[in-house]
Amino acid sequence: MTKKTKVRLLLYPQVLATSVTLPVEMLKAGEASCHDRRFKSLDIKFVANHQEVIKCRAGCAFLPDLTVHCDDAADFIIVPGIWRNPRPVIKQNRAAISYLAKQWQQGATIVGVGTGNCLLAEAGLLDNHAATTHWHYAKQFRKDYPLVDLKPEFFITQSERIFCAASLNSLADIMVYLIAQLFGRDAAQNVERNFSHEIRRPYEEQRYLEGAVDRHPDELIAQIQFWLKNNLANDVSLLDVAEQFGISQRTLSRRFKAATGTTANHYLQKMRLEMAQELLASTNLTVQDVAVAVGYVDQGYLTKVFKRELKQTPSDYRLLVRKKLFKTDS
C-alpha cells in the first residue's frame, strides 16, 4: 500500500470551526489539483481526547476519528483556534498537550492558529522560540508564557517545524505554502487562485522565520538586494551590478546564492513580478506601461512571464483581483 501523508487536526470544545474546515478544504483542493504520482495522497483525520461528538459555537459538530492516546505518528498536525478564553480548554486538555509534545518529538510539523498556540506553549514547544497569536490575546499570552519570544507584529512565525498563524487569513497563507511542499507549485497556485485571489503578501515576506536566509549577515548582499529593489525599471545585468559594487560577477553570484538561497537573476525576476502584480491591482497603468515600469522590454514579455509563473495573463490577473478589491455602484 502506498504511504500517505498523515494530517491530523486536534479538536476540543470551543474550537473555531473555520480554522478546522479551511485547512481541510484547501488541502483537499491541493490534492485534487496535483496529477503528479510522485506526490503522496493525504490521510486526514480528526483527533480529540475522546471519540465523542464535539460541538462548536458555529452550530456544527465534528466526530473525532482518533483519540490523543492512539499510537499514530503524524506528518502534520493542525491546532485550530479557540473561541474566546483558551484557559478552560487548556485545563481540560492536558492529554492533548502531551500528544502534541510526543508528536513533535516523533518529527511532526505543527501548525497552530490564534489562541490555539497556547496549547503549543503549554507543551513547551515554543520556549525560546518565536511565536504569534491572536492580537486580542497577545498581552495575556506574554504574561502566561514569558519564555516564548512573542512576535505579535507578525501574522506568521516559523520556528523549525512549528508554524504559528495569528489569523485565518495567515492560516490560509501557510496552507498555500505547505501545499506547494506537498503537491508542487502549480497545485499551490491553483489553490491560491480559488481560495485567496485578492492581493496578498507572499508567505515568505510576511512571516518571521528563525534563522531565515533573508535575515542573512552578508551586508554587501543586503545592500545589493536593496539596490535591486529600487532599480527594477532599469535594464540591469549582473555584470552592471557587480561593477557597481566593486566585485566580480562570479563573486556576486556565489555570495548572493550563499546568503539568500536563490540566484540574483531569480531574485530580480521575483521582485519585478511582484511589483507588476501590485501595479496591475492598484493603478490604471496600461499593461505596456506596467511592463516598462518593472524593467521588461514590452507587454509581450510581461505576458510570457505571467503565463509561466501565474498561469494567467496580466489582464486576467487585473480583472480577477479588482473584482475582489473594488466594488462599483450600479
Side-chain angles (χ1 to χ4, degrees):
M1 182 181 294
T2 304
K3 185 178 179 182
K4 295 185 176 183
T5 298
K6 293 183 179 180
V7 180
R8 305 295 181 248
L9 291 96
L10 196 58
L11 300 180
Y12 24 75
Q14 293 181 239
V15 67
L16 187 63
T18 44
S19 60
V20 177
T21 58
L22 178 65
V24 170
E25 290 177 334
M26 292 184 75
L27 286 167
K28 287 289 189 181
E31 183 179 38
S33 301
C34 178
H35 305 291
D36 190 333
R37 293 185 179 180
R38 293 176 298 174
F39 294 102
K40 294 186 289 186
S41 59
L42 297 173
D43 172 24
I44 301 176
K45 287 185 170 60
F46 296 148
V47 184
N49 278 347
H50 308 285
Q51 278 188 286
E52 300 172 350
V53 171
I54 294 179
K55 295 182 179 180
C56 61
R57 188 178 178 85
C60 56
F62 300 101
L63 179 62
D65 304 287
L66 304 168
T67 74
V68 295
H69 307 288
C70 68
D71 185 16
D72 176 61
D75 296 299
F76 293 88
I77 296 177
I78 297 173
V79 184
I82 302 170
W83 179 261
R84 296 203 180 271
N85 186 4
R87 288 181 171 179
V89 175
I90 293 168
K91 186 177 180 180
Q92 297 164 14
N93 285 269
R94 304 312 302 184
I97 292 167
S98 298
Y99 168 81
L100 287 174
K102 180 180 178 181
Q103 291 291 334
W104 164 254
Q105 292 169 359
Q106 292 178 340
T109 293
I110 301 177
V111 179
V113 187
T115 48
N117 290 318
C118 292
L119 294 170
L120 277 66
E122 285 286 333
L125 299 179
L126 300 179
D127 287 356
N128 303 311
H129 290 293
T132 190
T133 189
H134 191 278
W135 65 269
H136 186 73
Y137 201 72
K139 186 176 180 179
Q140 188 61 51
F141 190 103
R142 183 171 273 124
K143 287 182 179 179
D144 291 344
Y145 310 109
L147 295 180
V148 178
D149 182 14
L150 189 66
K151 304 285 185 183
E153 69 276 20
F154 284 87
F155 286 102
I156 296 172
T157 61
Q158 182 185 348
S159 175
E160 298 179 2
R161 289 179 281 111
I162 294 181
F163 298 78
C164 293
S167 66
L168 287 173
N169 281 341
S170 51
L171 171 62
D173 293 328
I174 291 176
M175 296 314 301
V176 169
Y177 175 78
L178 293 179
I179 288 168
Q181 317 304 310
L182 290 170
F183 299 113
R185 183 181 177 188
D186 287 348
Q189 288 182 340
N190 185 56
V191 171
E192 187 170 26
R193 284 196 298 271
N194 282 279
F195 281 82
S196 182
H197 57 252
E198 68 269 24
I199 285 294
R200 297 275 282 281
R201 294 170 62 199
Y203 168 87
E204 289 82 3
E205 286 191 11
Q206 63 175 312
R207 58 85 171 94
Y208 178 89
L209 173 60
E210 291 183 343
V213 294
D214 56 354
R215 299 175 186 275
H216 58 77
D218 193 326
E219 293 185 10
L220 177 62
I221 297 304
Q223 291 175 24
I224 291 173
Q225 286 178 282
F226 181 81
W227 188 88
L228 287 172
K229 286 181 180 180
N230 287 279
N231 289 272
L232 294 179
N234 299 328
D235 184 13
V236 178
S237 71
L238 289 188
L239 180 59
D240 295 332
V241 177
E243 291 179 349
Q244 172 91 7
F245 287 87
I247 58 176
S248 69
Q249 184 175 345
R250 182 176 181 182
T251 298
L252 169 62
S253 298
R254 176 179 56 79
R255 285 179 61 171
F256 202 100
K257 182 66 180 293
T260 68
T262 188
T263 66
N265 270 328
H266 185 268
Y267 178 83
L268 181 59
Q269 294 305 317
K270 181 173 179 287
M271 291 299 101
R272 282 175 166 160
L273 180 61
E274 289 176 3
M275 177 177 276
Q277 290 176 268
E278 184 176 344
L279 291 174
L280 287 167
S282 60
T283 75
N284 291 319
L285 292 174
T286 66
V287 175
Q288 173 65 24
D289 289 340
V290 170
V292 173
V294 300
Y296 288 132
V297 292
D298 56 31
Q299 176 177 338
Y301 192 80
L302 178 64
T303 299
K304 180 180 178 180
V305 172
F306 260 72
K307 285 183 176 179
R308 183 183 70 231
E309 301 295 330
L310 301 176
K311 312 305 180 193
Q312 57 190 325
T313 67
S315 297
D316 288 341
Y317 177 84
R318 168 175 271 170
L319 181 64
L320 188 65
V321 297
R322 289 200 170 193
K323 280 183 178 178
K324 185 72 175 180
L325 288 174
F326 306 111
K327 180 180 178 181
T328 58
D329 295 328
S330 57

